[in-house]
Amino acid sequence: MNKIERVRGALAGELVDRVPASFWCHFGPDEASGSGMARAHLGFYQATAPDYLKVMNDNPFVLPGVGRVSVPRDWLRLKPARRNAPARSKYLDGLKEILDNIGDECMVIVTMFNAFATANDNMLGYLDYSDLGFERITAHLREDPRSTMTGLSVVTESICEFTADCLELGVSGLFLSANGGERDRFASEHFEEYVAVHDRMILQAALDAGSEFNLLHMCGGGLRMGAYKDYPAHAVNWAPQANNPSLADGRNIFSQTLVGGMDQAGALVTGAPEDVESEVRLALAEAGGLNFILGAGCALVGEAPTQNLAFAREALMMAG
């Protein structure tokens, strides 16, 4: 099987020659768009040989209308992002360069952060996916849900449009990093009203634009994971180490393909080859060989040695 066939088979629940694997990480600020982004991702691809490539998106999502959201009524002033904004155009240029080089070898999926996370750019005035911004958005939703939801709808509209542009360029799908699902943040009905409605719109927009690989990443710890089970995604990913259900428990929640199984701060980053192999075998024993793609629970912490990512792939080959 080639890489595309292997991933398609895993997503369809078919028997594959081996479980696919892919890992991802953040890159430096000079590698967030344009040729710098392309060089970083292509270098990572050549060094680690993943079965699909997730392209990171660490660019501030600038929305006209207000430079910084300080009070709930500020959300009413947000306007959709300009389609020809320089940051957006440079990202698409880098994405095209990646696709021109490896688009025939493997699936390439593009990263978008959900509206709850993207709104941090406007809460704080700079890119910062910290709890500080999340807590402010949470407070605004509780204080003035109408105004805040109006702003989040504008953010969602822009994310949907950007996602469609990426798919038109030729990517295979969307990696949606979905924040805001902690059990202690919102009651279940408020999560559905404030967060899930926008998540679903973005994933559906990707499907409507031709995505064949919607990968939902449920970001954070202590998540109410059952709330995500009916999202329009082909595969799901989360960090069991962050007070979340195990892979085995996830099998009882989700019908989609599971992606993950390895600790993003564990053996992949600091372990010896035998540690990596042991963790791979534990993941396979827990998740099984069907409807499973090996990965980490989140972006790798720090700079994981590329040889460890190769060891993980070799362990999959040995396991059959």
Side-chain angles (χ1 to χ4, degrees), residues 259-276:
V259 177
M262 301 196 74
D263 186 344
Q264 63 272 11
L268 284 171
V269 178
T270 60
E274 56 268 24
D275 301 320
V276 174

Side-chain angles (χ1 to χ4, degrees), residues 252-268:
N252 296 322
I253 300 172
F254 298 103
S255 60
Q256 297 101 320
T257 294
L258 305 186
V259 177
M262 301 196 74
D263 186 344
Q264 63 272 11
L268 284 171

Side-chain angles (χ1 to χ4, degrees), residues 8-285:
R8 282 178 176 160
L11 294 174
E14 298 169 354
L15 189 64
V16 291
D17 59 342
R18 67 162 172 80
V19 168
S22 184
F23 305 95
W24 51 88
C25 62
H26 292 275
F27 296 97
D30 294 334
E31 300 165 328
S33 62
S35 292
M37 178 182 90
R39 284 194 300 272
H41 284 80
L42 291 171
F44 184 78
Y45 176 81
Q46 296 300 332
T48 63
D51 286 298
Y52 67 90
L53 179 68
K54 178 184 109 55
V55 178
M56 188 56 73
N57 188 359
D58 281 335
N59 297 280
F61 204 96
V62 179
L63 294 139
V66 57
R68 178 169 176 163
V69 174
S70 299
V71 297
R73 287 193 61 80
D74 286 342
W75 290 104
L76 298 173
R77 296 161 52 198
L78 286 183
K79 300 186 184 328
R82 294 189 301 274
R83 203 159 200 159
N84 61 348
R88 186 156 155 178
S89 296
K90 282 188 67 178
Y91 185 83
L92 291 172
D93 289 344
L95 195 57
K96 183 178 186 304
E97 191 172 338
I98 292 169
L99 290 167
D100 286 346
N101 278 272
I102 62 168
D104 293 334
E105 293 181 24
C106 73
M107 288 189 182
V108 175
I109 63 175
V110 65
T111 303
M112 296 288 165
F113 293 86
N114 71 347
F116 191 82
T118 299
N120 262 343
D121 296 354
N122 292 89
M123 293 295 297
L124 303 175
Y126 53 86
L127 185 69
D128 181 2
Y129 299 120
S130 69
D131 289 341
L132 176 61
F134 295 152
E135 293 309 318
R136 289 182 182 176
I137 298 168
T138 301
H140 284 191
L141 281 165
R142 290 171 176 160
E143 179 183 345
D144 184 354
R146 186 188 69 83
S147 296
T148 309
M149 284 293 289
T150 297
L152 291 177
S153 294
V154 172
V155 176
T156 299
E157 176 186 340
S158 294
I159 297 170
C160 289
E161 183 184 76
F162 196 8
T163 299
D165 287 349
C166 293
L167 281 154
E168 184 178 351
L169 196 65
V171 301
S172 298
L174 167 69
F175 178 100
L176 180 65
S177 183
N179 285 271
E182 298 89 347
R183 290 186 297 271
D184 59 358
R185 185 177 299 280
F186 297 116
S188 57
E189 63 271 20
H190 289 148
F191 170 78
E192 186 66 32
E193 179 184 357
Y194 298 157
V195 180
V197 61
H198 295 129
D199 293 349
R200 293 175 189 273
M201 286 179 184
I202 297 167
L203 289 163
Q204 188 59 51
L207 292 179
D208 292 344
S211 173
E212 62 172 311
F213 187 5
N214 271 2
L215 174 49
L216 169 68
H217 170 62
M218 295 160 282
C219 194
L223 299 174
R224 186 185 289 111
M225 282 179 43
Y228 293 96
K229 67 179 181 179
D230 295 325
Y231 271 36
H234 303 98
V236 292
N237 168 250
W238 70 96
Q241 304 83 12
N243 189 28
N244 291 320
S246 66
L247 281 179
D249 291 334
R251 280 283 183 219
N252 296 322
I253 300 172
F254 298 103
S255 60
Q256 297 101 320
T257 294
L258 305 186
V259 177
M262 301 196 74
D263 186 344
Q264 63 272 11
L268 284 171
V269 178
T270 60
E274 56 268 24
D275 301 320
V276 174
E277 180 181 355
S278 176
E279 197 168 334
V280 170
R281 291 189 177 277
L282 285 172
L284 288 172

